Amino acid sequence: MIYVKLGNSLYEKQGIHVISSIFTVENGITKVLLIERSYEPYKGMWALVGGALYNNEDLVVGAKREIYEKTGIKDIDIYLSNVFGKVDRSPLMRMVAVSFIGVIDSAKVEILKETMSTSDALWYPIDKIPNLAFDHVEILNDGLEMLKKKIGESDILRALYPNGFTIPEIQKVYETVLNKQFDRRNFRKKLLSLDLIQDTNKTKNFMGNKPAKVYKFKTGNIKNKSLL
Amino acid sequence: MIYVKLGNSLYEKQGIHVISSIFTVENGITKVLLIERSYEPYKGMWALVGGALYNNEDLVVGAKREIYEKTGIKDIDIYLSNVFGKVDRSPLMRMVAVSFIGVIDSAKVEILKETMSTSDALWYPIDKIPNLAFDHVEILNDGLEMLKKKIGESDILRALYPNGFTIPEIQKVYETVLNKQFDRRNFRKKLLSLDLIQDTNKTKNFMGNKPAKVYKFKTGNIKNKSLL
DNA sequence: GCAAAAGTGTTAGGAGTACACCCATGC
DNA sequence: GCATGGGTGTACTCCTAACACTTTTGC
């Protein structure tokens, strides 16, 4: 029976896209990494980082491979986000997209401007996104919602602070991503109650101010509560 | 470039499974609809309802087609749940699975016991699930979690009560699915506060008891809060 | 009248929100 | 010592949780 299936043209020419919304937060602005496509379809247009999955790799592996091939980024944690499967979402072939989100510090990575299939790469503020290829606008907006959810229940921001962070520092990141202000004292209590971070007994000095305690994300953490 | 891709064997022989966990709740037991496979792979084993997506149909359309072909069920609402993409999850070909969940009233539908590719169909209590084909155990468990989430923020239980329900009636359903008891008075307040249901000005009589008000799910409802 | 189950309201506790004061540093 | 920003504690409010009594029906 499966051989009948393989011979049925309705089962042919299908593939899986693995597409990542890679975010960073700098100076109160949430940005996403976009690449410029150097081949058809959508040649010359901007797009999220991704491509077609190989048939011999897991989803996350494929998504990370695409990230590496198109941006040079090697170490990044990504989280499954959603699925996009409209019949016509890709013009050349039926492709179902599996989307991921990830966060890195744009200041700490070197982004390749040009690769085999891209002619540029840039961090775009999420409120200044150009026209994107495929259904990437939809995927990006959905990924942004997932990011807002994830920062309240996971260590997805870990990559921004590999050496730890102070609470006032990371509060600015939360406020930027969620586009919302928090009371300093309540934010501290709330964040600590989420059981995501821990004290490091170190402090960090800023010019002319009281030193701030340094915290870090816990290692094997469980996520129960949400921030918003 | 895309033509190179099409010629690359790493992009060939991929497909998408659309797999549905169809639940019902009867007499305090949550059950899921399983079918017995009549073809390889996993011939003779039980499995969730699903199959391979056509390249000309949307995900939900394909999932519903599979449900119809393998069970005869025509009218069912399904909700996207998750993605499963391990390389070896299907033995014959690389298949990425997109999972859905749905709820129907087992007493109100006629299930086909035998179809082109199935030799039986049964409602299994979710704590008495046999060995399942593929990674369907994982998909089912994940779907059950999604069901627990969805009943608190959507009208997914609507199909169980097309003519309305009383609050004590539906409370038993919530308690069954969530495997948790609720205080009658608090449950009523909470459920009403979710803005999912509305009064119908009708009542329903049970033998020897005070008549109970009949409610129904609202039509165009938004989901903000969660029950648990 | 009595049993059974439905409907309603009130109180106590915990989480979230608002808010004020003290502390350590660089200049 | 003064400006700047970090750290801590308390009162109020709101949602949640616990709980008791009245109402309607069939027999």
Side-chain angles (χ1 to χ4, degrees):
Chain A
M1 184 61 175
I2 189 72
Y3 300 104
V4 175
K5 283 195 176 184
L6 286 174
N8 186 333
S9 69
L10 285 171
Y11 294 110
E12 290 173 355
K13 293 184 181 171
Q14 300 192 31
I16 293 104
H17 275 150
V18 279
I19 298 176
S20 301
S21 298
I22 303 172
F23 296 101
T24 197
V25 182
E26 47 181 42
N27 302 323
I29 302 174
T30 308
K31 297 182 180 178
V32 64
L33 185 59
L34 300 178
I35 54 92
E36 189 181 54
R37 295 174 61 85
S38 56
Y39 290 101
E40 295 292 349
Y42 299 107
K43 180 176 175 177
M45 283 192 80
W46 292 90
L48 291 171
V49 181
L53 182 73
Y54 292 165
N55 56 24
N56 66 353
E57 63 188 356
D58 281 341
L59 292 168
V60 171
V61 172
K64 288 187 180 180
R65 174 185 51 74
E66 283 290 336
I67 293 169
Y68 179 63
E69 288 179 1
K70 293 195 165 65
T71 69
I73 297 171
K74 286 188 91 159
D75 291 316
I76 181 169
D77 282 326
I78 55 175
Y79 297 74
L80 181 66
S81 179
N82 214 335
V83 195
F84 298 84
K86 287 212 188 79
V87 168
D88 61 352
R89 62 168 294 283
S90 180
L92 291 180
M93 189 170 130
R94 175 60 187 285
M95 300 296 287
V96 169
V98 177
S99 67
F100 296 83
I101 64 167
V103 172
I104 58 173
D105 185 346
S106 59
K108 291 204 195 72
V109 289
E110 190 76 19
I111 307 289
L112 295 179
K113 302 297 279 184
E114 206 168 339
T115 73
M116 286 286 287
S117 57
T118 66
S119 50
D120 203 355
L122 273 177
W123 290 101
Y124 275 87
I126 49 105
D127 57 354
K128 287 169 189 162
I129 301 296
N131 281 336
L132 297 185
F134 302 96
D135 52 353
H136 287 197
V137 167
E138 191 186 348
I139 295 177
L140 170 56
N141 287 332
D142 183 82
L144 193 55
E145 289 307 308
M146 182 61 85
L147 176 65
K148 290 180 182 178
K149 188 180 162 211
K150 279 286 176 189
I151 59 173
E153 57 183 40
S154 78
D155 61 345
I156 192 170
L157 294 178
R158 182 189 297 271
L160 293 183
Y161 299 104
N163 303 317
F165 53 86
T166 69
I167 299 216
E169 265 178 340
I170 209 164
Q171 179 176 348
K172 290 204 190 83
V173 175
Y174 277 88
E175 291 178 335
T176 301
V177 171
L178 297 172
N179 198 27
K180 193 173 195 286
Q181 302 297 113
F182 294 100
D183 177 86
R184 299 194 334 273
R185 296 151 287 199
N186 294 337
F187 179 82
R188 171 185 297 271
K189 265 184 291 187
K190 180 67 182 179
L191 186 59
L192 287 171
S193 80
L194 292 179
D195 212 36
L196 291 173
I197 68 172
Q198 62 184 44
D199 203 328
T200 63
N201 294 323
K202 289 182 236 169
T203 57
K204 199 166 170 182
N205 280 38
F206 297 92
M207 288 287 283
N209 302 328
K210 176 172 179 178
K213 285 190 192 176
V214 174
Y215 292 80
K216 64 175 185 181
F217 284 100
K218 291 189 180 178
T219 46
N221 48 10
I222 314 159
K223 45 285 186 96
N224 333 8
K225 309 160 194 170
S226 117
L227 189 78
L228 246 178
Chain B
M1 183 60 175
I2 189 70
Y3 301 103
V4 174
K5 282 195 174 184
L6 286 173
N8 185 334
S9 69
L10 284 172
Y11 294 110
E12 290 172 357
K13 294 185 180 171
Q14 300 192 29
I16 292 104
H17 275 149
V18 279
I19 298 176
S20 301
S21 298
I22 303 172
F23 296 101
T24 198
V25 183
E26 48 181 41
N27 301 322
I29 301 173
T30 308
K31 297 182 178 177
V32 65
L33 184 58
L34 299 178
I35 53 93
E36 189 181 55
R37 295 173 60 86
S38 57
Y39 289 101
E40 295 293 348
Y42 298 108
K43 180 177 176 177
M45 283 192 80
W46 292 91
L48 291 171
V49 182
L53 182 73
Y54 292 165
N55 55 25
N56 66 351
E57 63 188 357
D58 281 339
L59 293 168
V60 171
V61 172
K64 288 188 179 179
R65 173 184 53 73
E66 283 289 337
I67 292 170
Y68 179 63
E69 288 179 0
K70 292 196 164 65
T71 69
I73 297 171
K74 287 188 90 160
D75 290 317
I76 181 168
D77 282 326
I78 55 175
Y79 297 73
L80 181 66
S81 179
N82 214 335
V83 195
F84 298 83
K86 285 212 189 81
V87 168
D88 60 353
R89 61 168 295 284
S90 180
L92 290 181
M93 189 170 129
R94 175 60 187 285
M95 300 296 286
V96 169
V98 178
S99 67
F100 295 84
I101 63 167
V103 172
I104 58 173
D105 186 345
S106 60
K108 292 203 194 71
V109 288
E110 189 75 19
I111 306 289
L112 295 178
K113 300 299 279 185
E114 205 167 341
T115 71
M116 286 287 287
S117 57
T118 67
S119 51
D120 203 356
L122 274 176
W123 291 101
Y124 275 88
I126 49 105
D127 57 354
K128 286 169 189 163
I129 300 296
N131 281 337
L132 296 185
F134 302 95
D135 53 353
H136 287 195
V137 166
E138 191 186 348
I139 295 176
L140 170 55
N141 287 333
D142 183 83
L144 193 55
E145 289 308 307
M146 181 62 84
L147 176 65
K148 290 180 182 177
K149 187 180 162 209
K150 280 284 176 191
I151 60 173
E153 58 183 39
S154 78
D155 61 345
I156 192 170
L157 294 177
R158 182 189 295 271
L160 292 182
Y161 299 104
N163 303 316
F165 52 87
T166 68
I167 299 218
E169 265 179 339
I170 210 165
Q171 179 176 348
K172 288 203 191 83
V173 175
Y174 276 89
E175 290 179 337
T176 301
V177 172
L178 296 173
N179 200 26
K180 192 172 195 286
Q181 303 298 113
F182 294 100
D183 177 87
R184 298 193 335 272
R185 297 151 288 199
N186 294 336
F187 179 81
R188 171 184 297 272
K189 266 183 291 187
K190 181 69 182 177
L191 186 58
L192 288 170
S193 80
L194 292 180
D195 212 37
L196 291 173
I197 68 172
Q198 63 185 43
D199 203 327
T200 63
N201 294 324
K202 289 181 236 169
T203 58
K204 199 167 169 182
N205 279 39
F206 297 93
M207 289 288 283
N209 301 327
K210 176 173 180 178
K213 285 189 191 175
V214 175
Y215 292 81
K216 64 175 184 181
F217 283 100
K218 290 188 180 178
T219 45
N221 48 13
I222 315 159
K223 44 288 186 92
N224 333 8
K225 310 159 193 170
S226 118
L227 190 77
L228 247 178

